[in-house]
Every structure is written in C-alpha cells, then in structure tokens.
Amino acid sequence: MDYFERLQELLKIERQEDRQSYQQLLEKSTVVQRRSNGLAWYPVAIRGSEISRGDYLTVEIERTTHHEISHQLRFGMPAVLFSNHDAKNNRAEGLISHQFGNTLKITLQTDELPEWAGDGKLGIDLLFDDTSYDEMQNALKSAALNRQNDKDSRLINVLIGDLSPCFVPSINQFANKRLNPSQHAAVEKILSAEDLAIVHGPPGTGKTTTLVQAIKALAEQDKKQLLVVAPSNTAVDLLSEKLSEEGLNVLRVGNPVRVSERLLSLTLDSKVAAHPRMKEIKNLKKQANEFRNMAHKYKRNFGRAEREQRKALFDEAHKIMKDVYNTEQYVIDDVLAKSQVIAATLVGANHYTVKKLKYHTVVIDEAGQSLEPAAWIPILKARKLIMAGDHLQLPPTVKSNEAMKKGLGVSLLEKAVALHPDAVVLLDEQYRMNETIMGFSSMEFYDNRVKAHPSVANHLLFDGDQPLEFIDTAGCGFEEKTAETSITNPEEAAFMVKHLSELVRKLKERDKKFSPSIGVISPYKQQILLLQELVQHSPELKALGRQIAVNTIDSFQGQERDIIYIGMTRSNSNSEIGFLADIRRMNVAMTRARKKLVVIGDSATLSVLPFYHDFISYAEKHNAYKSAWEFMND
C-alpha cells in the first residue's frame, strides 16, 4: 500500500473511533454533565447578532454562569445553539468564529435568529469535529498527487525517505552571543537547509529560544513570509508572543487561548479593526442592517406592493453587504501582505483567510506531538520545512488502539529523525534541572549527551538537601484498587501528601517567605482526584494556593516546578504496570523538577520493566533510594 494511502486508512479508523465515542458521550450525558466535561456552555445569553459572509448570521453569545469550568469550545469548531425547552428540535448548527473569555461568536447556517431563541434556556453544545478530519484527509490526498509532480514533490519525497535533504552553507555568517554552541549550530543548520532541518530539543534545553532566533534570522535572510504552526493553541500563543517581542510583524490566525493584550493585538480581528478602512465598513454595515430591519417590519400577511418593497429592501441590503465583503477582503489582504510571520495551529493553517497562501518556509513546533496527517496540512504550503520538538517526550494523541498499533502514533518528526540524522541538531545543554535530576533522562533517552548548565547543575532547595529521592513502597501493603475505568492507590496517596506536607513545613521553618512551586503528578485520573482532595485537607499544602498543582503528566508538558512529586500508583502481585510502560510519558514527568524530584512507587511491581529497574539502580547509585518503612513511625 502507498505511503499516503496507508495514512488515509489509519485516519479513517481514528475518525470512526473518535466519532463513535463522542456520540456515545453526548447521548448518555445531560447538559450539566456535558458542561462539566467542557463540551457545553449552559446557560448562555445572546448579546447581539450581525450578518456575516455568505449572508449567514453571526450571533454573539455569553455564558452567564459557571465561569470557573474549563471548556473545549474553540475557534473553528462546529457547535450548535440549542434551547433546553426542546433540545432535540430547537437547534441551529454553525461554526465558532471567535472565542474569548466568557463570550464567543457562532456563525449559524441561517440568516435569521430562530423564533425559539427568544424563549430562554439557551446553550451551546460542541459537535463532533468532522472539519479537522476532512482537512487532514484532503491534505493526504493532495500529498499523494503532488508527490508525482516535479515542481512540488521534492520536500514530500525527502520526508517519506525517497530523497535526501540538501544543505548549502549560508553566505552571511550567523552570530548570536545569547545562544550556546548547540543552539547556534541548530540555527546554522536551519539557515543552510534547502528543504529540511530538525531541532531536537530535550527538556529544558531552550528549544523555543533557539526557534525564535532561527525564525528571526530566516526572515532577515530570505525576506519572505513564514508560516509557524504547532499542534496546540498554547504552543502557537507562546511562539507568537516571543516572535512579536523580537520585533517581527506576527499575525496570529485563529483565537489565542492565553488572554493577554499583546496576543490579542496580534490577531486578525484586532489588526483588521485597527485598519484605516474599517470606519467605512462599519458605516456600510450599519446601512445594510437598517435596510434589513425595515424589511423585517413587514408582517407575514401583506400584499404585492409590500412584498415588492420588502424584496427591494433586502436587495439593497445585499448589494451593500457585497461592498462590505469586497472592502473587508481588501483589508484582510493588506494585513496579510504586511505580516512577516503567520502563526496558526496545524489545521488553522487552512483558515479561509490564509488557505491559498504558499510559503518558502514552514516551521512546525512541538512536532513530536503532531499527528502526522495534520502536519501535512501546513507542509503542502512549503518548499522548506523546519521541525522542532522531542519525539522522546509526549507522542501525538491517538484515540483508536487499532490505529495506534498500526502506526498512527508515530509522528513525522520521529520518522524524519530516523531517516535523516544529518538534518538533526540535538540541543545538549539544559537550563532547568539539577544535574542529578537530569542525569537519568540524559542516560536513558539521549546517550548521556545532555549536560546541565553551571547555573542550574547544583541548585537545591536548601544546602545539604537531596535533589532526587525514590521512596520504595514495596512490602508496605499499599495495594492498588480499580476505580471505574481508572486505578487508585489510597495508601500511597496519603503517604505522598503526608511526606510533601512535612517537606513544606520544614521549608517554612527555614524561611517563612520562601514559597516554592510544586507539582504533584500521577498517571491515573482517579488518583489525581484523590490527591486533590487530600491536598485540600492538608493545612500546609492548602495554604500554598496556586503554588501547588495536582494533575496528570500530559497537563505538565512544557512546564516546570521547583519540586515535583510523582506517585506511580501501580502496586500488585502480577507486576502489571499498564500505561506506565509508556516511558516517554515518564521522561516528561521526571524532567519537570528544577531542584527536587521525589518518585514514590512499588519497586517489586515497577522493576518488571528495565526502564524502572535502571531508575531504581540510578537512585541507589546517587544515595537517593529510601524505603517507605523509614517514614512509617514519623
């Protein structure tokens, strides 16, 4: 089977699994449950409406309560406005065209608000996101076609291994005193690449810093617009902000998740709103709405003259809106033309405003977490590709076990690193962790090539503290329990919170002003809920407020804390460790700590996997192994 046909088959399996599980979730849950799962806003109020492109109605919605619940409603996602009086029949589907804070705009597939919208009890439900899957499937089909086309095929054939990447040394020597030798080498590799360059950035090695300087240098060298993408909105936001701070003209396509003035000013909406021609557009829209309002004043029962008058008013409004669209398109084109960097998510690279744009260079950040079919969406717009990330940390999220087993979980970055080692530069100096915390990850994943910068190599919470501890619960009777579809270990959780509380108490005794940042991690959701409850019942930990976070490994990706506690949870006589076998996730968990890492687990259960056996040996070698029995009488 052809390379792209195989990917299309895998994506088909993934789509079916995703749609099925989503439909089951929606059918079985109430609006209150959907709201708590982040799939709905309820109740909401309509704050305004206006006619947008294609004579569709854009409605501004505000969620009036439950502001504290995080949600998944994002720009570009399909959603439905519904009335809970009759949720099956009172529905109007559309696309979320803007989301910010507690308000969003939804463009409905109608030109008038339905009558039931005035009866209250309104909500917004997310629909299954077929649009993203369509974009991915179309990208794979195009890649298969373009592969045969001489003009567009080189980069594609490099990425699938049929050709080797080329490098031509840059005429202008790159120099930046802020970068270390490996970061410097990465930028030089990027500047000299004709088609592909890869920045492999292990935890804490300054990948974002390197990438920002490389993009700045590319903009100066090529004098051409770049597309910068990442799989998550958060990663796109971070890069957009950093690039803007370096003086580049950045256009953030889509809506940022991070709420900051700087980011908002980079969005298309903001730049369009600030354009000199916007006053003219507002006046035209006002006129069009006045004609529409006049037309709507005619009641349903009216004669021929009234019908003709109503039609004439609608025609006039339609004519004015045509002028609006033309002027808006001019403004958008003008904003696009002046932008040095377009920043978007992988799927957002095909946003209707930038869909037809082509670029000399496309940059994919967090490429190790990018689902390969999604990565092809921006790649097809490029002659040259820069990928940055770490395939030895979190992989792409795949919902279907079958698709995962057949290879959908392998990122394009991972494939390209194996195919083209000459295109890769490893960033080898990290600025986060004490060298003892870092050492195991460097040994296990990076051939001992990653070293700690002198500024962090020996930093501790306090003089004489142990930066790494493995506390062995073997033989303590801390048995795991199955809870719903997850695993818990109540005794381990209680021990962990008690141990952390004692550490915090000691730190407070040493320095009352010292308030370290703390992360408490477990791979299991039910264990997280248990730990969150226990933290709330610990006076020492509760007093820390936002300085302490309790969550799963995935939520800590890209973050760091002074202190990290990891509870392994698994403890059984069958040596079953479930998805603790995904050692890339453990690489993420173990590399979040700056000054202290405490891992608590059952060595008898964990040692079935060589990775954990090696970790326990590493802890013993560094005098960091302890038995939980030592603390039992405290």
Side-chain angles (χ1 to χ4, degrees), residues 239-260:
L239 263 180
S240 300
E241 224 164 5
K242 299 272 186 198
L243 289 165
S244 177
E245 283 165 10
E246 285 291 324
L248 290 165
N249 185 336
V250 180
L251 175 65
R252 170 68 165 98
V253 175
N255 288 124
V257 172
R258 293 171 61 193
V259 182
S260 76

Side-chain angles (χ1 to χ4, degrees), residues 470-509:
F470 172 71
I471 302 175
D472 190 358
T473 63
C476 293
F478 293 3
E479 289 288 308
E480 69 182 57
K481 294 172 175 54
T482 304
E484 296 174 23
T485 54
S486 193
I487 307 280
T488 65
N489 191 323
E491 286 90 356
E492 181 192 277
F495 175 83
M496 191 167 164
V497 169
K498 187 183 174 190
H499 189 277
L500 175 55
S501 300
E502 186 62 23
L503 173 64
V504 169
R505 192 180 59 75
K506 282 179 185 170
L507 290 172
K508 288 288 179 193
E509 283 173 5

Side-chain angles (χ1 to χ4, degrees), residues 6-21:
R6 181 173 167 73
L7 272 178
Q8 284 180 66
E9 280 303 307
L10 295 181
L11 191 62
K12 203 172 166 185
I13 295 166
E14 174 73 356
R15 189 201 286 238
Q16 284 168 347
E17 171 71 30
D18 197 4
R19 185 191 279 123
Q20 219 172 339
S21 57

Side-chain angles (χ1 to χ4, degrees), residues 567-624:
M568 305 301 283
T569 310
R570 301 307 300 256
S571 178
N572 56 70
S573 53
N574 304 322
S575 295
E576 290 175 1
I577 61 170
F579 61 69
L580 291 187
D582 185 350
I583 61 173
R584 289 182 296 183
R585 274 196 156 73
M586 290 314 300
N587 186 29
V588 173
M590 290 175 170
T591 53
R592 301 304 99 195
R594 294 188 197 108
K595 299 176 181 179
K596 191 172 186 75
L597 171 64
V598 179
V599 181
I600 298 170
D602 179 347
S603 63
T605 302
L606 295 172
S607 290
V608 67
L609 200 71
F611 174 82
Y612 294 110
H613 181 271
D614 291 350
F615 175 68
I616 294 163
S617 300
Y618 179 84
E620 285 172 335
K621 184 183 163 190
H622 286 84
N623 199 28

